[in-house]
Amino acid sequence: MRVQSLTLAAASAALLAPTTLPAVSPRPAVWRESTVSAAELLAKVRDCTPLSRGRYRSDNGAPANIPVCGTRDAVFWKADMDIDCDGRPGPRCNRRTDPYFAPSTAYAQSDGRPLSAERLPFIVVPAPSGLWDYRDHGIGGGSVVAVVYRDRVRYAVVGDTGPQGIIGEASYATAKALGIRADPHGGGAPSGVTYIVFKNTKVSPIEDHAAAVTEGEWVARRFADGSRTDGNQATDDASRAPGG
């Protein structure tokens, strides 16, 4: 991640192409509409119980007015979206297209290579600090995230870390899937993006976006319905059974 006073750059979005197929253009990161609506998720994060010891900035020089909030099963924040183009270089995310480009991400693919911001929907969390440490809340690389913008819900994973005092950033592929302008020079969204990270979830391998969507649909539905989302499905199902 790079620190900028303006929205960060973005690039195109596509799923990882299977290695067994011949070289073809990857499928664009546009998926079926979520079965859980934006309205349902936003209703669950209307009120904020702060987890952070203070508030974050959306960009350098912006007011520190964004808290990280929590529920039993998720953490969330409402911010802008700067575009993270870091990671494995591609035709749209590289040193030529993005002067702030860094060829690494905090978390790597299963083959050890950095994530591809162009292809993989992921979000950036602030590096641990006295303000807030995501690791204390069952969150790490591969944690499942529902990103809500306007009436759209898209699923991603935690894939990178950023500055300790700034929040509100996601990969190029995430922005593209949400219909947010992907441009290294002025792209992103200035506000109105809600990031919901589900505790104690993990997609492995981290680059398996289809698995993130499947898991995301499941935990988001349970979150919207008020059920636990920490993987205790058998316990929850048993409690709803007759005599449970």
Side-chain angles (χ1 to χ4, degrees):
M1 178 197 182
R2 294 84 58 214
V3 183
Q4 287 181 287
S5 59
L6 298 176
T7 27
L8 298 179
S12 83
L15 299 178
L16 288 170
T19 56
T20 55
L21 295 179
V24 294
S25 298
R27 290 178 293 170
V30 176
W31 313 285
R32 67 183 185 276
E33 288 299 318
S34 172
T35 59
V36 184
S37 71
E40 287 178 286
L41 290 176
L42 293 176
K44 301 297 291 187
V45 297
R46 183 177 294 116
D47 301 320
C48 176
T49 299
L51 296 179
S52 54
R53 296 179 179 89
R55 299 192 173 205
Y56 286 90
R57 303 178 190 277
S58 60
D59 296 288
N60 276 341
N65 57 7
I66 304 171
V68 173
C69 311
T71 72
R72 179 184 65 179
D73 299 315
V75 304
F76 65 92
W77 55 92
K78 301 176 183 182
D80 65 339
M81 182 182 285
D82 294 334
I83 309 302
D84 188 2
C85 224
D86 293 342
R88 199 165 72 250
R92 298 172 182 86
C93 283
N94 54 64
R95 295 188 187 280
R96 178 177 51 79
T97 61
D98 180 5
Y100 296 94
F101 176 78
S104 62
T105 49
Y107 297 98
Q109 292 188 164
S110 55
D111 61 5
R113 293 190 297 170
L115 303 180
S116 169
E118 290 186 16
R119 298 186 176 192
L120 182 67
F122 65 80
I123 73 160
V124 179
V125 294
S129 70
L131 190 58
W132 181 61
D133 188 338
Y134 64 90
R135 301 171 300 183
D136 294 337
H137 301 276
I139 295 170
S143 291
V144 178
V145 186
V147 188
V148 184
Y149 181 66
R150 296 178 177 171
D151 61 349
R152 293 188 176 186
V153 179
R154 295 292 184 263
Y155 298 102
V157 293
V158 172
D160 203 0
T161 59
Q164 293 180 338
I166 295 177
I167 203 166
E169 185 175 7
S171 71
Y172 165 100
T174 308
K176 195 75 173 180
L178 286 164
I180 293 173
R181 184 182 175 212
D183 186 336
H185 305 285
S191 63
V193 182
T194 300
Y195 304 79
I196 305 171
V197 187
F198 298 104
K199 299 177 181 179
N200 304 312
T201 57
K202 185 178 179 65
V203 173
S204 183
I206 192 172
E207 67 268 22
D208 187 347
H209 178 62
V213 173
T214 298
E215 179 73 1
E217 288 279 2
W218 184 74
V219 294
R221 171 47 60 197
R222 294 175 68 77
F223 181 68
D225 291 345
S227 302
R228 290 192 64 84
T229 61
D230 59 4
N232 294 332
Q233 181 179 17
T235 302
D236 292 340
D237 289 349
S239 70
R240 290 197 301 272

